[in-house]
Amino acid sequence: MLGKHQKVYEEFYHSTHTNEHLDTRTELLVGLSAAMAMNCLPCIRYYLQESKKAGITKGEITDVTAKVMAVSAGQKKLQMQEVLSKYKIDLDNF
């Protein structure tokens, strides 16, 4: 049973590499940012290797990294605000 699902997943995954609207560079940078956000180390490695082959620069990689960091930090900030509000925790008087 797992084999059938694995095959379907692989077909789906590979189909995401042939985009109707994104060029290769954009697809790779989006993939890298998604891999970073999901903490998938093999995926990050893959997208870095493919990005290098595609001529994506160190500067472009660092811009993507900074954006992922900013979104992640913002999400954690909102998460903390939600907990403080939901449980009525006054951090100013902690």
Side-chain angles (χ1 to χ4, degrees):
M1 192 64 120
L2 182 61
K4 178 178 115 179
H5 292 106
Q6 183 65 31
K7 183 175 186 249
V8 170
Y9 167 76
E10 287 177 9
E11 289 172 1
F12 163 72
Y13 181 77
H14 291 296
S15 76
T16 67
H17 291 290
T18 53
N19 296 287
E20 187 175 337
H21 303 285
L22 299 178
D23 60 59
T24 300
R25 294 171 62 81
T26 303
E27 183 267 327
L28 290 170
L29 293 171
V30 168
L32 177 60
S33 62
M36 291 173 69
M38 294 306 298
N39 226 7
C40 181
L41 299 182
C43 297
I44 294 169
R45 185 189 76 188
Y46 168 80
Y47 282 109
L48 285 172
Q49 290 171 335
E50 294 302 308
S51 292
K52 185 173 183 175
K53 289 179 195 174
I56 293 172
T57 67
K58 177 182 176 182
E60 290 168 307
I61 297 295
T62 57
D63 282 353
V64 166
T65 302
K67 183 58 72 179
V68 172
M69 291 169 61
V71 171
S72 179
Q75 188 271 332
K76 292 303 170 191
K77 179 179 180 245
L78 291 173
Q79 183 181 48
M80 179 60 90
Q81 289 172 337
E82 182 179 339
V83 168
L84 294 173
S85 175
K86 181 177 181 175
Y87 297 106
K88 298 178 182 16
I89 297 171
D90 181 2
L91 198 55
D92 292 331
N93 296 311
F94 201 72

